[in-house]
C-alpha cells in the first residue's frame, strides 16, 4: 500500500485519481507515526518549494522523511524537496541528495515555466524506468529545475539546458514531471 504525505502542498486529487484508475491502494500520512503503515511513500508537491518545506516542518513530517527505509517517490516540488537547496525562496531543503534546485530564468532565454510534454532519457538502471523506453514523453509544469549530477540523475530532459528529470539515491526517487498526468508511461511508472 502507498502512503501519500499529506502536508498541504500537493495536488493530491490528481495523484489519487491516477492511483484509483490503477487500482492501487493508498492512504494519507498526516503524522510521523503513519509512515510505518506503508510499504511505499509518495511526496506530492505543487507550488513554491519554500512554502512546501515550511508546511513539511509545521506538520512534523520533515525530519522523519530522511530516515525512511521504504521506497520514497517525490513528484514535482516533492522531488525538489529531496535536494539540499532551492533558489525558490533561497530555502534549505531535506538534503537527501546534496544537489540544488535552480531557476530556469537565470539559465536560458526560453519561455518559463517549462510546461507541456517533453521527452526524457533514463541514465541509470532505475526500477522506476523499468520497461519505459528512452525518449518517452512525460508532462512537465515547472519554473525550477534540478541540476544534472551523474551521482543522482536517473533521467535527463532538455529544455534549453539538460536537467534532472528524475533523481535517485538509495530508496529515494524523484521525478520533475507529473506521472499522474502523463498517460500510459506515467501510469506504468506509478
Amino acid at each position: 500500500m502507498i502512503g501519500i504525505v499529506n502536508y498541504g502542498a500537493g495536488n493530491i486529487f490528481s495523484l489519487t485519481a491516477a492511483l484509483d484508475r490503477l487500482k492501487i491502494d493508498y492512504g494519507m500520512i498526516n503524522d510521523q507515526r503513519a509512515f510505518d503503515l506503508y510499504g511505499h511513500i509518495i511526496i506530492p508537491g505543487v507550488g513554491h518549494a519554500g512554502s512546501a518545506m515550511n508546511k513539511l516542518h509545521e506538520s512534523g513530517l520533515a525530519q522523519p522523511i530522511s530516515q525512511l527505509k521504504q521506497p520514497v517517490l517525490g513528484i514535482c516540488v516533492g522531488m525538489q524537496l529531496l535536494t539540499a537547496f532551492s533558489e525558490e525562496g533561497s530555502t534549505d531543503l531535506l538534503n537527501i541528495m546534496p544537489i540544488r534546485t535552480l531557476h530556469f530564468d537565470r539559465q536560458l532565454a526560453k519561455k518559463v515555466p517549462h510546461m507541456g510534454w517533453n521527452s526524457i532519457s533514463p541514465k541509470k538502471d532505475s526500477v522506476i524506468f523499468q520497461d519505459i523506453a528512452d525518449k518517452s514523453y512525460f508532462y512537465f509544469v515547472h519554473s525550477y529545475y534540478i541540476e544534472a549530477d551523474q551521482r543522482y540523475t536517473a533521467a535527463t530532459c532538455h529544455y534549453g539546458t539538460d536537467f534532472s528529470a528524475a533523481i535517485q539515491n538509495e530508496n529515494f526517487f524523484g521525478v520533475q514531471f507529473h506521472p499522474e498526468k502523463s498517460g500510459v508511461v506515467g501510469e506504468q511508472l506509478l
Side-chain angles (χ1 to χ4, degrees):
M1 185 140 93
I2 291 177
I4 300 170
V5 179
N6 186 17
Y7 63 108
N11 184 358
I12 290 179
F13 175 76
S14 294
L15 177 59
T16 58
L19 294 173
D20 286 340
R21 281 192 309 273
L22 294 167
K23 298 182 179 10
I24 296 173
D25 292 332
Y26 60 86
M28 296 298 154
I29 295 174
N30 297 306
D31 62 62
Q32 66 181 12
R33 293 170 299 186
F35 283 112
D36 293 335
L37 302 175
Y38 301 99
H40 295 79
I41 306 296
I42 295 179
I43 306 169
V46 174
H48 189 278
S51 296
M53 192 64 204
N54 286 338
K55 288 179 182 184
L56 261 186
H57 281 299
E58 290 167 6
S59 68
L61 299 174
Q63 191 273 335
I65 288 174
S66 63
Q67 298 170 5
L68 294 174
K69 300 299 179 205
Q70 62 268 58
V72 177
L73 174 65
I75 297 175
C76 196
V77 169
M79 170 187 172
Q80 295 174 6
L81 292 173
L82 301 176
T83 69
F85 175 82
S86 177
E87 287 185 343
E88 187 172 29
S90 294
T91 305
D92 289 329
L93 302 173
L94 294 171
N95 197 25
I96 290 168
M97 290 171 239
I99 50 181
R100 299 173 302 156
T101 301
L102 308 172
H103 195 283
F104 272 126
D105 263 355
R106 297 188 179 116
Q107 305 299 320
L108 52 102
K110 284 187 160 283
K111 181 182 168 222
V112 176
H114 170 216
M115 184 165 53
W117 295 89
N118 204 340
S119 63
I120 62 136
S121 295
K123 297 294 182 191
K124 287 187 173 186
D125 183 22
S126 175
V127 296
I128 65 171
F129 292 109
Q130 184 176 357
D131 300 324
I132 295 177
D134 186 33
K135 304 296 182 195
S136 290
Y137 278 80
F138 289 87
Y139 187 76
F140 290 83
V141 179
H142 61 120
S143 298
Y144 291 80
Y145 69 96
I146 295 174
E147 60 188 342
D149 183 309
Q150 289 183 332
R151 296 170 297 169
Y152 305 106
T153 299
T156 58
C157 183
H158 187 81
Y159 187 72
T161 188
D162 287 335
F163 66 91
S164 291
I167 55 176
Q168 71 181 62
N169 183 23
E170 297 175 356
N171 58 308
F172 290 92
F173 303 86
V175 293
Q176 184 61 65
F177 50 82
H178 287 272
E180 74 277 13
K181 296 180 180 186
S182 295
V184 174
V185 291
E187 288 180 350
Q188 184 174 339
L189 187 141
L190 287 172

